[in-house]
Amino acid sequence: MIRNSIVMSMALIMAGRVCAVTPMPEQMLIDFEQGFDESRMSVDEGRARIVEVNGGFALQLDAAPNKRVKVRLRPESGTWNLKDYVNLAVDFENPGDHEAWFRMLIKDAGTKDDSWYRPNLSHNGWVKPGEIRVFPALLVRHKYKNKAVRPDYMDRFPKMHGLPHAQMLVWFGVDVTQVSEVVISLEPKEVHQTLRIDNLRGSRRASPELLENDPEAFFPFIDVYGQYMHEEWPGKIHSDEDLVKARLAEKKDLAAHPRPMSYNRYGGWKDGPTFKATGHFRVEKIDGKWWFIDPEGKLFWSAGSTSVGRPVMKLDLSLKRHFYDGLPDPSDPVLGVFYSRNGMDYESMSTVLYKKYGDNFKTDADEISLRRMRSWGMNTLGAWSKVAAVQPAELKMPYTWILWVPETLKPVHKLYDPFDPEFEVRLIKAVRYHAETINDPYCIGYFCNNEIHWGEDPQEVVRNILACDDGVHAKQAAIRHIRERGGEPSEPGDEDLLSFYRHLLDTYYRRARSAIKSVAPDKLYLGSRIHDGAMRKEVASAAARHCDVVSINVYEKDLDQFNIRNPRDVPFFPEDKPFIVGEFDFGSLDRGKFFAGIGFAADQRNRGENYVHFMKSGLRNPRCVGAHWFSYVDSATGSRYQDAENANCGLIDSTDSPYPELIEAIRGFAPEMYPYRRDCKLVTE
C-alpha cells in the first residue's frame, strides 16, 4: 500500500473541510496487498505490475516516452454499489522525475465504449514528481439509467441538478449502484512516466446525515452569503468582517500581479510579428494557423470569460424561501431594496457586494472584475459581459457582444423565423441599440442568439414546421422549396425535408450576416454559439459559409475532437474556417457546491489543471482562435432563477471570492499562451 494512504486521505479531506456530520467510513474497493486476485486486473497497453512500496503493495504503471499504459480494474464479482458516496477516490504516487498525466474512466454495464468524452464519466489528472495525491473522482449520477439513484428526499429540492452534499443527477455519467469497471490510462508524453495506484474506494458521504435523521432541522441550509451551511472549507466567509478582509487582501494580490508584460493594450502579442492594422479586429490565416489580428495589427488569441462585471444572483423565494438563513427584512431601509415581485424575488449578490464594498458597490464590483481579468491574464470579455459597455478608459478590454432577437419559430427553440421579412429589421435594431459598439475598436464582433436548438432529426424539424399555421413564414418557404424540387408538401420525401433544412440554416446565417454587416461592416460576425445538442454537420457547414468566425460551445475535456453523438454527423465541421469556443468550464464539489456543471473536475486544483489542458488543446488547433470560460460567477447554490443549474462554474463564488487554485492556474498559463501557440505541434484533424 502507499504509506498511510487512508489516514493521509482523511487528513487532507479534513484540512479542507470540517464536517458538520459524522464522517462516513470509506468503502474499500481494491487494494493491492498480498492475496490480491490479479484476475481482477487486465492490461490493455504497456507495462503494469504490482510492486512493494513501504512495506505494502501498489500497482505501478511505467510508460516509455510517447507510449500509453492502460489497465482495467474490476470487482471481485458482480458490480460495486457506490450510491452512498460522492467520490471514487484513488491514491496516486509519482516516484519519477516528470509529471504524470492519467485518465480515469468509471463504467457501468451500460457504458458502450472507452471514450474519455461525454456522455461517459471520466477524469483527467496530473501527479507531480515525488507527489502522493489523493484524487477524489466524482461519481456523476445518471438520473435516467436507474431511478434507484434518486434519494427519497429529492422532492424537497426542486429545480436543482445537484443535491446536498453533492449528488449530481444529470443526463450523463453512470449508474452508481452498478459500477462495473474502472479504467486508468497513463497517457503518452514525450518523457518517461511512472505512476503507482492504490486504494480505490468510495469516499465522502453523499446523503447528509442531518437530512436523513432530522429533515426539518436541515433547513435552512444556505446562509446569507449564498453558501452551504452544513460544511466548512478553506476561504469560507463567516462574517461581514471576513468580506472586508478578503477585499483588502485581494487588493494587494492584484497589485502584485499586473497584466502579462507580453500583452499590448488590446491583449494581443506585443512581442510577436506585426500585420496589417485596420483599427478593428479581423481574422487571418498565417503559416497554417488562424488568428485574430487586433486593431494594431498584432496576433491575438482570445482567452476570456462570459458574464464579466457586477455579478447578479437573483433567487426565487416563492418556492425556496425556507432554503435561506439570515435574509434581511424587506423593510430594511438599505438591503430591503434588493427584493422585488412583492418580496418573492431577492438579489442575494447585491447584499454581499454592499457589505463588501459599501454604497458604491455597483461601480466597485464592475471595476474589480476588470482588474481581475487583466491580472489573471485574460484578454476578452465574453458574451453577457455587461461591464463591456461601462469600461473605464484605463481598464478597457476587448469584448464580444451578444445580440438577441426573440424566438418566433416554435419548432426550433430560440430561433426567430429567418424567412420573416422583419428578421433583418429586428437584428439591425439590436445592433443599433448598442450603437457605441459599432465603431469601438475594442469590440471584436457579434454573436447572434445563443444555442439554437436545431433539432436531433433534421427531417422531423421540417415536418414540425410544415405542421405550423399557414401564416408562419418558414412553413410558406418550406412549401415553396419542396414544390420547386418537384415534391409534394403534404407527403414530402426525406431528401426534400433535408434540402429545406439546409435552406433554413443557410437563410438564417446568411440574413444574420447581411443585417449585421449593413450597420457594422467592420465588426466580425461570430455566429450563434452552436451547442452540444445541435452539432449537426449541416449546422456547422451553414455557419462556416457565412460567419467570419464560427462559434461553438464545447463542454468536453479538450478540443482534440468534437464529440459527435451521431455517426451521421461525421465529419463535423471540416471547413477551413476559424472558430471560437463560446463556453467551456470545469467545476468540482469541494467548496460547498452540489453540481459541478457539465464539465467537471475532481477538486479545485483539478479545475485549474483542466483549464490549462483545454486551453492548450485549443492553441494546438490551427482553426481555433479563442476560448471563453463560462462563467465569471457560480450559479446560486439553490439554483439559478431561470432553471435548475446550481453549478460550481465560476471564477468567483457567491461571496465574490475568486477560487485561488483555479486563478493560480489561469494566471500562471497566461504568459505562456502566445509562445505555446507559436511553438506547439498542431493537431491534425
Side-chain angles (χ1 to χ4, degrees), residues 40-42 44 71-74 107 114 181-183:
R40 299 174 63 188
M41 176 183 80
S42 58
D44 287 7
V71 298
R72 300 176 183 275
L73 302 169
R74 295 177 288 271
K107 302 178 69 174
D114 283 357
E181 186 176 50
V182 176
V183 183

Side-chain angles (χ1 to χ4, degrees), residues 251-547:
K251 183 178 180 180
K252 293 180 180 178
D253 174 77
L254 295 177
H257 296 91
R259 196 179 203 192
M261 297 298 292
S262 57
Y263 288 7
N264 68 1
R265 64 177 174 142
Y266 293 103
W269 193 10
K270 182 175 64 177
D271 303 325
T274 302
F275 297 89
K276 180 182 177 181
T278 64
H280 299 273
F281 280 88
R282 61 185 183 87
V283 287
E284 184 176 344
K285 190 174 184 180
I286 300 166
D287 296 331
K289 304 171 188 177
W290 282 98
W291 292 85
F292 284 115
I293 306 296
D294 78 14
E296 294 180 338
K298 289 295 187 177
L299 298 173
F300 181 94
W301 204 86
S302 182
S305 173
T306 70
S307 306
V308 180
R310 176 172 63 91
V312 175
M313 195 171 286
K314 187 165 71 170
L315 309 178
D316 183 353
L317 301 183
S318 61
L319 191 62
K320 301 181 179 182
R321 184 181 294 271
H322 62 296
F323 283 17
Y324 301 98
D325 184 50
L327 297 185
D329 192 279
S331 64
D332 186 294
V334 176
L335 303 181
V337 300
F338 303 137
Y339 285 94
S340 59
R341 203 164 58 97
N342 295 318
M344 290 296 99
D345 292 346
Y346 173 64
E347 214 304 283
S348 63
M349 201 76 186
S350 290
T351 294
V352 170
L353 296 173
Y354 177 82
K355 290 172 178 287
K356 187 171 183 178
Y357 298 106
D359 291 336
N360 202 35
F361 73 92
K362 293 182 179 180
T363 300
D364 287 353
D366 275 339
E367 182 176 310
I368 199 168
S369 71
L370 295 169
R371 294 191 184 280
R372 285 168 173 165
M373 294 290 285
R374 296 168 72 89
S375 172
W376 299 344
M378 289 185 163
N379 62 11
T380 310
L381 310 177
W384 302 295
S385 293
K386 293 182 180 179
V387 73
V390 294
Q391 297 183 76
E394 71 276 12
L395 297 177
K396 197 157 187 180
M397 296 179 62
Y399 59 92
T400 57
W401 200 263
I402 189 161
L403 306 171
W404 194 262
V405 286
E407 169 188 316
T408 61
L409 187 58
K410 298 301 182 183
V412 185
H413 183 47
K414 298 186 180 181
L415 179 64
Y416 191 102
D417 188 339
F419 296 98
D420 186 333
E422 288 293 307
F423 174 63
E424 288 190 49
V425 174
R426 296 290 294 271
L427 194 48
I428 288 169
K429 287 181 178 178
V431 178
R432 286 178 172 163
Y433 186 76
H434 299 285
E436 71 280 1
T437 66
I438 294 174
N439 293 310
D440 185 356
Y442 285 87
C443 179
I444 296 172
Y446 303 106
F447 299 112
C448 179
N449 284 62
N450 176 61
E451 294 190 340
I452 296 170
H453 291 212
W454 291 110
E456 295 186 7
D457 182 342
Q459 285 96 337
E460 187 63 22
V461 169
V462 181
R463 290 190 187 96
N464 291 335
I465 291 173
L466 288 169
C468 288
D469 295 337
D470 290 344
V472 173
H473 295 281
K475 177 178 180 176
Q476 298 168 10
I479 291 172
R480 289 194 301 271
H481 184 85
I482 292 169
R483 284 177 174 165
E484 287 171 0
R485 286 176 50 86
E488 175 50 56
S490 61
E491 295 183 6
D494 285 349
E495 285 304 313
D496 289 335
L497 296 171
L498 187 57
S499 177
F500 180 72
Y501 183 76
R502 295 191 189 102
H503 181 50
L504 169 72
L505 293 163
D506 189 82
T507 301
Y508 169 78
Y509 286 108
R510 174 174 49 80
R511 294 194 70 194
R513 177 186 180 85
S514 175
I516 291 169
K517 293 292 185 178
S518 70
V519 286
D522 297 317
K523 296 304 165 194
L524 297 172
Y525 172 37
L526 306 175
S528 63
R529 300 159 58 85
I530 301 166
H531 76 307
D532 182 72
M535 286 193 180
R536 306 287 80 79
K537 59 186 178 183
E538 294 88 355
V539 176
S541 292
R545 281 194 296 275
H546 300 291
C547 297

